[in-house]
Amino acid sequence: MSDALQKTITLLLLISLGLLLKSKFKSKDQTNGIKEIILSVALPSTIFISLMKIDIDSSMIIIPLVTLVFNFLMFFSAPLAFALFGIEKNSPTGRTLMMLIPSLAPGLSCFPFIAEFLGEKSLAIAALADVGNKFFVLISLYILAMNMFLKNSDDKETKMGGKLKSLFASMFQEPINILIFLAIILLSLGINYKTLPSVVTDLFDKTSAMMTPLVLLFIGLAVQLKEGKKRIVASILFFRAGITMLISAGMIYVLNINDLSMMLLAIVIPLSAASFWPLAHISAFNLREDAKALPKEKRTFDLELAVLLLAFSLPFSTILILAILSSGSFFAHTSTLVTAGLILISLGALPNALSKVFVKMSKA
């Protein structure tokens, strides 16, 4: 058995263990507690260690910028889904998808597997890439949500400046971001992981060791199979993954990326699950509309769809990322990526196309 296959089986068994333990975690607060440990302790420690062990220079500023460009390319590609699935862009469903499709949450769905398959240097690069994504989901998507809300409700009372200030403050209060900036400052002063006191490195080593098992258990615990708009959610996730692969193939070609690890990073980071932050923005504006008792069809966003898409996005992205990383260099070719992307888009469009055929047949 190859090392990659053995590692993949081990990771899948940990996810399965999480599924088996679902009955023990009946309260949402319990699973949220595990998530908080991951995002506030284990993941920040792992990223700090990875950053402190590599040489970072000023040229690396291009990494978050490339991710930011990807976010915007996904944002402008999102309306293509509306034509395929018969969705109105200015409907609650359309506005919700415009928020969620271009967002990324690599912390839970991508970083643990990068650490396991590609190593600490790749994880450090992925952490820098997420800085660009953080600016997009926190700032750009909030401005977008604000604009959609104002157009839909003609509400002029919301103060943009205060909200943006609050978002910047929350971004710099996150443990992950604090440790990323701390690592960059220490490295700029010539301090690396080896020169830190042993008591500090021991603390980070032990808290970092929790990350992969906790994340995989959390994925198993968090999988939800709720009834609802499953067909449209599945279609959107296939479409999102397909468009992502096409854009990744384009970026690999344009930037002339030849290193295998960098190519795999350019593929799997964009395949991360949808971020929680768009849901947070959507929920904030939904609360304002609750006060007005607006019916669902007149609301700015579809909160139920957003929750359902997030619930399925995490396991869907996990499966894709695991499959790509465990396949070695198979996907590290632009032709393979383009083919896989077109197949995934076709799979997303198929249910809607079949339903139209059945409707026509029933009318005939």
Side-chain angles (χ1 to χ4, degrees), residues 212-226:
T212 299
L214 276 180
V215 168
L216 297 173
L217 287 171
F218 174 76
I219 290 171
L221 290 168
V223 172
Q224 298 291 333
L225 298 173
K226 296 178 181 177

Side-chain angles (χ1 to χ4, degrees), residues 289-341:
E289 293 174 334
D290 280 343
K292 299 177 182 178
L294 286 178
K296 285 186 178 181
E297 63 274 8
K298 290 187 177 181
R299 297 203 173 209
T300 308
F301 302 105
D302 186 339
L303 185 61
E304 180 188 342
L305 175 64
V307 171
L308 197 63
L309 194 144
L310 281 177
F312 281 93
S313 179
L314 181 59
F316 183 85
S317 291
T318 300
I319 291 167
L320 280 179
I321 290 167
L322 261 177
I324 289 168
L325 290 177
S326 62
S327 67
S329 61
F330 178 78
F331 283 93
H333 306 280
T334 52
S335 57
T336 305
L337 280 177
V338 170
T339 303

